[in-house]
Amino acid sequence: NPTLLDAYGGFEISMLPYYSASVGRAWLESGGVKVIANIRGGGEYGPSWHQSALKSNRNKCFEDMEAVAQDLIARKITCQEKLACIGGSNGGLLVGNLLTRPLSSKLFGAAVCQVPLLDMKVYSRLLAGASWMAEYGDPDKEEEWSFLRKFSPYHVLRHDILNEPEEGAPLSLDEAAQPDWKCPKVLFTTSTRDDRVHPGHARKMVRALIEEAQPRGLADTVF
């Protein structure tokens, strides 16, 4: 079945099952499946569920999504080609990581990345970003940037996958860290009226995909 996997995974916010007429009419009645994943970082199971994915443990959110996706495929609810992930704001950061991680980039056939955080080096200087450092970390502190860098999709894409030079880092002559990576079909949305997440995050990620990844045959469908 065509399946849309949705999650948030941050700020102790719970995503619980709810009735949506638009999802029912536009998606479910057409044969689609909607899945809401209660991943670590959210508040579905209390404060400890949230705290288990703070800062250097942010990878737990992404691992949980990979586990849910693998289970959906193993149970034959869907298959890789018909599985898509969707998320906005902090959920957009989640989707950005699912696009660039070695495992998850092969689990999803498509993704919708809405008003995302993607450049974790500058997020704290843009709009409301400074108020989120307790959740993610402070990129201006070297010891915290060391783990933030690992879940900054923009940096992983350009410097780890595409092997583009990185400011402040020694020039690498090695081949890309993920030589068999290919971006799933992806739609990015953003807004100039959002007072929390700057549209520059989505814009620069799309530019990198279209101008640097697409010419190499690594990102066929980017909107």
Side-chain angles (χ1 to χ4, degrees), residues 10-165:
F11 297 93
E12 206 171 332
I13 293 173
S14 299
M15 282 192 70
L16 302 176
Y18 64 97
Y19 174 74
S20 169
S22 59
V23 170
R25 185 61 184 268
W27 185 246
L28 301 180
E29 285 190 5
S30 299
V33 174
K34 177 72 181 288
V35 177
I36 298 176
N38 294 158
I39 61 176
R40 281 173 285 185
E44 293 87 356
Y45 300 104
S48 62
W49 193 246
H50 168 233
Q51 293 161 9
S52 64
L54 290 177
K55 294 187 175 183
S56 61
N57 290 320
R58 203 73 197 171
N59 58 293
K60 302 301 182 185
C61 304
F62 319 136
E63 292 170 3
D64 287 354
M65 279 291 274
E66 290 171 341
V68 173
Q70 288 176 306
D71 185 60
L72 291 170
I73 294 170
R75 293 164 62 186
K76 301 189 184 301
I77 293 172
T78 189
C79 59
Q80 181 271 334
E81 294 83 2
K82 294 187 176 183
L83 177 60
C85 56
I86 186 171
S89 191
N90 174 74
L93 173 63
L94 169 65
V95 172
N97 276 277
L98 296 177
L99 290 172
T100 53
R101 284 169 62 89
L103 174 58
S104 52
S105 60
K106 297 178 178 63
L107 290 173
F108 295 95
V112 182
C113 193
Q114 302 169 309
V115 287
L117 285 164
L118 296 168
D119 184 345
M120 302 307 287
K121 183 65 175 175
V122 301
Y123 87 92
S124 59
R125 303 172 204 163
L126 300 173
L127 301 180
S131 64
W132 305 329
M133 288 193 286
E135 183 84 9
Y136 302 126
D138 184 348
D140 293 325
K141 294 180 179 178
E142 185 176 352
E143 67 276 14
E144 297 194 9
W145 171 240
S146 65
F147 60 74
L148 272 160
R149 168 66 172 75
K150 295 176 182 177
F151 62 85
S152 179
Y154 180 70
H155 289 82
V156 173
L157 171 67
R158 295 199 71 237
H159 310 307
D160 297 347
I161 295 174
L162 301 178
N163 209 28
E164 293 291 329

